[in-house]
Amino acid sequence: MTTIRLPASQQPGTVLGASPHVAESADAYRATGGYDDATGPEELLAHLAASGLRGRGGAGFPAAVKLRSVRHGRGSPVVVANGEEGEPGSAKDRWLLRARPHLVLDGLVRAAAVTGAVRGFVYLSDPAAGESVRRALAEHPPPLPVEVVETDHTYVAGEETAVVRRIDGGPALPTAKPPRPFERGVGGAPTLVSNVETLARIALTAARPGQRRAIARSTLVTLSGGPAAPVLTEVPYGIPLRTLAARHGSPDAAGALMGGLFGGLVDAHALDLPLEPDALGSAGTALGCGAIHFLTPDGCPVTTAADAASHLAAESARQCGVCVSGTAAVGKALYGLAAGTAGPDTADNLHRWSQGLRGRGACGLLDAAAGIAGSLLRSFPGLVRSHLAAPCPVCADAAPADGRHRLTVAVPQVAGACPRPARVPAPPPAASPTTIPLPALKGTP
């Protein structure tokens, strides 16, 4: 079970709040300064620009720039709170909608005021989160129509064009870009698709503009891996990854899988890096959604890479042929390494795919698969060579072959949340690396 750990010096103005294990009511939220109108839209936009707040959905785009782009679009804007959490190692967004829906809705309303939006949506797949948001809307009706739109949970369903497509009545699958949603989104209108944690930080900035920098430079992180239970916590930018590993109970971590699956693998030396988007980007990795899976010293990064590639292959939207074949090829090659059955050209093929597959899909899933392959070769070249020379006993002990569920993190329990029976989605098409027709391991798929 995932636990919640409050910061050692808990200050007002955090997303976790004072009681993260209890669903917050409208009265409790108003008592902390929520829904106050002291900070107007123009002033708030100036605060967000000055603070440097970045989006928390994965890309880290400046929030103020995104708001301005939507406001200056043609037509009446739409705002969307994106709570569809596709990364298997992240739990922050579902927790936030279950525990602090008013904080998210407050941020959504303020984003609507900044952009001039006339409609809002909360987009999610978690039934408990949906019930929590609906209850919050009934407790404190917003000044504009806000609709809850549910989707099936997939890796790609939270991609911004998939969000727009689903709200417009289609499948939650990515579309070609341009146009981006800020240009033409829901119903053809300029649309702000904003992660729910981003909106929460917008609301906190409006309530406490004097703390704008601290609010912008703190982030929720989901920590997993090793013997300890997964942890959801809130930390400031700049804290070393090694410190986070020690706090999580993995002081001797051999590295990490960063940013969910998008940041790839890093070795133990990289744990001296600060948790800061630019520093991580310069080092060839990413903070992404804030999910960090630490590698144990007695485990094997090749197994983790194979698990990650298996998850991506299974979650392919199957719209782009290069994504279907590319993710399957990467997954099969990595499982060959783990099983001791890889051919002598495997490393060369992985390197070629890590370079040639990027940017060729409609969304970032194929890029993530390429990044997993490339980061394994870059961070653990000796292990790759040893796996080609002989089977790895550690990988052999990590069976079953489909170990992608080892990367999945559960949502922390929230008292007062009202879950309902989950919808049963249609079974996805078979997409494991061992069942998809594979391209020849020559060149780039």
Side-chain angles (χ1 to χ4, degrees):
M1 176 60 65
T2 304
T3 62
I4 299 175
R5 184 174 300 156
L6 292 172
S9 56
Q10 177 81 335
Q11 300 292 326
T14 61
V15 172
L16 279 182
S19 304
H21 294 94
V22 179
E24 188 174 45
S25 68
D27 288 341
Y29 180 62
R30 281 190 290 264
T32 67
Y35 293 127
D36 191 288
D37 59 1
T39 304
E42 295 302 322
E43 183 183 359
L44 175 58
L45 185 59
H47 285 305
L48 295 173
S51 73
L53 177 66
R54 299 185 181 201
R56 295 300 195 269
F61 198 75
V65 174
K66 198 169 183 179
L67 287 162
R68 287 195 182 102
S69 297
V70 173
R71 181 167 70 170
H72 295 152
R74 297 181 178 179
S76 299
V78 174
V79 289
V80 180
N82 186 4
E84 169 46 20
E85 195 164 38
E87 289 286 359
S90 182
K92 68 182 182 71
D93 295 337
R94 287 166 291 167
W95 166 83
L96 187 50
L97 289 172
R98 292 184 188 189
R100 303 202 71 189
H102 289 286
L103 181 62
V104 175
L105 291 171
D106 192 2
L108 184 68
V109 168
R110 293 180 188 278
V114 170
T115 59
V118 296
R119 284 191 299 162
F121 296 89
V122 181
Y123 177 82
L124 49 82
S125 65
D126 177 43
E131 288 299 303
S132 177
V133 172
R134 291 185 180 91
R135 182 172 59 185
L137 288 169
E139 279 187 306
H140 186 94
L144 76 163
V146 174
E147 179 182 346
V148 178
V149 175
E150 296 193 22
T151 189
D152 290 334
H153 175 71
T154 68
Y155 188 84
V156 301
E159 194 272 341
E160 62 176 2
T161 62
V163 173
V164 169
R165 194 173 178 184
R166 174 68 184 91
I167 292 174
D168 277 341
L173 298 174
T175 61
K177 297 170 280 290
R180 296 269 182 186
F182 76 86
E183 298 167 310
R184 188 166 71 245
V186 175
T191 300
L192 177 77
V193 180
S194 187
N195 173 260
V196 292
E197 184 188 349
T198 310
L199 293 172
R201 294 193 181 279
I202 288 174
L204 289 173
T205 301
R208 294 177 171 82
Q211 297 175 233
R212 65 190 187 190
R213 183 168 173 80
I215 292 168
R217 293 188 60 80
S218 297
T219 192
L220 294 177
V221 291
T222 311
L223 309 177
S224 62
V231 169
L232 174 65
T233 189
E234 190 166 3
V235 297
Y237 283 168
I239 187 172
L241 296 177
R242 194 174 302 280
T243 300
L244 288 180
R247 290 183 182 178
H248 179 250
S250 302
D252 299 322
L257 178 61
M258 294 292 300
L261 306 182
F262 193 76
L265 294 158
V266 299
D267 62 15
H269 296 292
L271 298 182
D272 292 323
L273 290 168
L275 186 84
E276 199 279 329
D278 290 337
L280 294 173
S282 297
T285 184
L287 176 59
C289 63
I292 303 174
H293 180 89
F294 292 110
L295 308 178
T296 60
D298 57 349
C300 184
V302 174
T303 295
T304 303
D307 288 348
S310 171
H311 187 91
L312 292 167
E315 290 291 319
S316 170
R318 307 183 71 80
Q319 294 189 122
C320 309
V322 67
C323 181
V324 175
S325 63
T327 56
V330 170
K332 183 170 180 66
L334 290 174
Y335 267 112
L337 276 179
T341 61
D345 58 349
T346 297
D348 289 340
N349 286 322
L350 286 171
H351 175 73
R352 187 158 46 245
W353 295 331
S354 73
Q355 301 295 312
L357 291 176
R358 293 181 183 275
R360 296 183 60 188
C363 66
L365 186 145
L366 186 57
D367 289 4
I372 292 294
S375 64
L376 177 67
L377 296 172
R378 182 174 61 251
S379 298
F380 301 98
L383 278 176
V384 173
R385 289 192 295 270
S386 67
H387 281 65
L388 288 171
C392 172
V394 176
C395 289
D397 289 341
D402 180 8
R404 60 195 177 98
H405 298 296
R406 286 189 284 260
L407 302 175
T408 302
V409 170
V411 184
Q413 289 186 340
V414 177
C418 297
R420 60 181 173 137
R423 292 168 292 109
V424 179
S432 71
T434 57
T435 58
I436 295 178
L438 300 173
L441 292 178
K442 294 182 179 180
T444 300

